[in-house]
Amino acid sequence: MKMFGRRRWLWGSLLSVAVLLAGAGGWVVYQNEYDLTEERVTVTGGRQPLQGVLARPTGGHGPYGLVVFVHGDGPVDATHDTFYRPLWEAMAKAGYATLSWDKPGVNNAPGDWLDQSMQDRVDETLAAIRWAKAQPGIDPNRIGLWGASQAGWVMPKAARQSPDVRFVIAVGTAVNWLQQGRYNLLAELGERHASPAETAAAVARSDRNLAALRAGSTFEEYRAAGGDVDGLTPERWAFNKRNHLSDATEDLAALRVPVQLVLGGRDVNVDSDDTEAAYRRLVTTPGLLHVLRFPDSTHNMVPKEVEDSELRSTFLAVAAPRSLFTPGYLDGMRNFLSSLDPASPDHPKG
């Protein structure tokens, strides 16, 4: 009888675990489903075709406004490894479709993102807008840009060069490339409590790197002169050489469209205080600039304590991706877009 009871307890426990795992699996599936209709598209009209995703709200009637996504640095695909989808869903709730694409060279897309200047990225963005204006269900008069980090040198320039850009959402953007790089270097050294000697050596290496870029040196010339090429490739060197003088000051001063600036107080990539001060100084038309700050958020709009925990961030990324972001960030996107056209039939009521 004891053995039978033990087996019954064991099977009951296993059954409970199986039920919990099944329930958890269902929860994970639910959390990774979004109230969107996604369509793989090929965006034409630019330097090369772009492999993209056009996501529309479900259950609406359109025509929808459109948010065109401008990536930050790196080999980013159209969904940013799925992490754009919570943003797309938040924007869909405000009645906006979204358009994003694989960077050139990513996922076998034609081209090479490292072979681009910031103006090349602007041209790419404006070509995507021209393509989108002709798509069914898209309102050509309600198209704007969302972009993070490096997009800060693309979006103001695009808005300055085209009347088709009706708003800008800038997330963790900087103004001056060189100032941003130096801030990032010192902030990361501070994060790991580098010694004064280590900090001085890192600054000296950075100065030698910048001097070579200013002198127009090739990667081979820099390496032959004893330059530190750790982590650099010839392609990355050429990209930095092409773009290291980027500065958004004049383009920001020329902005005449609504701008939402989103900043994290724990950002070690971009000096959020410097960025906010510059935007407030340069975007002077009353009512255009809206600043949303999250004091404990990182560059990725994730709470610092979450980003610092690999276990916690991985769990949330898999099991509850919407919860990975700083509370209020997704709502901030939706609320800003809703505020642009309160008369829209897709504007949330109540």
Side-chain angles (χ1 to χ4, degrees):
M1 290 294 294
K2 284 186 177 181
M3 181 61 69
F4 176 76
R6 186 174 180 183
R7 285 178 178 173
R8 185 170 59 184
W9 172 85
L10 178 59
W11 280 110
S13 298
L14 289 174
L15 180 61
S16 298
V17 170
V19 169
L20 286 172
L21 288 174
W27 173 256
V28 169
V29 170
Y30 167 74
Q31 285 294 317
N32 284 273
E33 290 182 348
Y34 297 94
D35 197 11
L36 298 166
T37 300
E38 294 186 21
E39 176 188 2
R40 293 295 309 191
V41 296
T42 300
V43 178
T44 57
R47 181 177 175 182
Q48 67 257 320
L50 302 171
Q51 300 175 171
V53 174
L54 178 60
R56 294 181 175 90
T58 58
H61 305 289
Y64 302 111
L66 178 70
V67 183
V68 175
F69 272 53
V70 182
H71 304 304
D73 197 6
V76 185
D77 73 346
T79 70
H80 206 327
D81 293 325
T82 77
F83 290 114
Y84 280 160
R85 287 192 171 112
L87 278 71
W88 296 351
E89 184 181 59
M91 293 169 177
K93 290 178 180 178
Y96 277 77
T98 47
L99 174 64
S100 181
W101 55 87
D102 300 330
K103 274 193 174 184
V106 175
N107 286 342
N108 298 313
D112 182 355
W113 66 272
L114 283 170
D115 190 31
Q116 290 185 311
S117 66
M118 292 302 108
Q119 184 59 52
D120 291 332
R121 299 201 63 198
V122 170
D123 294 341
E124 176 183 83
T125 301
L126 296 183
I129 290 175
R130 290 192 296 272
W131 175 88
K133 288 174 65 179
Q135 302 310 302
I138 299 300
D139 185 344
N141 298 311
R142 291 194 295 142
I143 297 178
L145 305 175
W146 175 97
S149 196
Q150 190 182 97
W153 293 295
V154 179
M155 296 186 297
K157 193 179 295 293
R160 185 179 184 182
Q161 294 179 14
S162 173
D164 291 329
V165 178
R166 302 302 179 90
F167 60 86
V168 170
I169 302 174
V171 181
T173 54
V175 176
N176 180 276
W177 181 293
L178 296 178
Q179 289 179 3
Q180 181 268 334
R182 181 51 54 93
Y183 170 83
N184 175 230
L185 173 65
L186 295 176
E188 289 189 350
L189 288 167
E191 282 268 297
R192 64 173 187 260
H193 306 291
S195 68
E198 184 182 357
T199 299
V203 169
R205 286 194 301 271
S206 175
D207 287 344
R208 287 193 296 271
N209 179 290
L210 293 176
L213 290 173
R214 291 192 183 101
S217 300
T218 66
F219 177 80
E220 291 74 17
E221 289 169 340
Y222 178 62
R223 180 170 57 185
D228 183 6
V229 297
D230 184 37
L232 282 173
T233 64
E235 293 78 16
R236 183 73 206 198
W237 178 266
F239 181 83
N240 292 347
K241 182 178 172 183
R242 192 178 296 117
N243 293 298
H244 74 282
L245 295 179
S246 296
D247 186 284
T249 299
E250 292 184 5
D251 296 319
L252 286 171
L255 280 178
R256 298 294 182 269
V257 297
V259 179
Q260 182 172 59
L261 177 64
V262 185
L263 299 167
R266 305 293 295 274
D267 193 333
V268 298
N269 293 72
V270 169
D271 185 340
S272 57
D273 292 337
D274 180 75
T275 291
E276 180 176 357
Y279 272 67
R280 290 192 183 280
R281 184 178 72 252
L282 297 167
V283 184
T284 57
T285 302
L288 286 190
L289 180 62
H290 307 263
V291 179
L292 193 59
R293 288 193 69 112
F294 298 101
D296 195 46
S297 183
T298 66
H299 189 62
N300 295 314
M301 290 301 126
V302 173
K304 174 69 171 172
E305 62 178 8
V306 173
E307 189 165 295
D308 284 349
S309 169
E310 184 175 354
L311 179 62
R312 187 172 177 186
S313 59
T314 300
F315 172 78
L316 288 175
V318 173
R322 297 173 186 84
S323 299
L324 183 65
F325 294 104
T326 295
Y329 172 54
L330 297 179
D331 285 341
M333 303 294 98
R334 176 178 58 81
N335 292 338
F336 173 72
L337 292 172
S338 295
S339 73
L340 297 177
D341 48 343
S344 165
D346 293 293
H347 179 73
K349 302 299 188 291

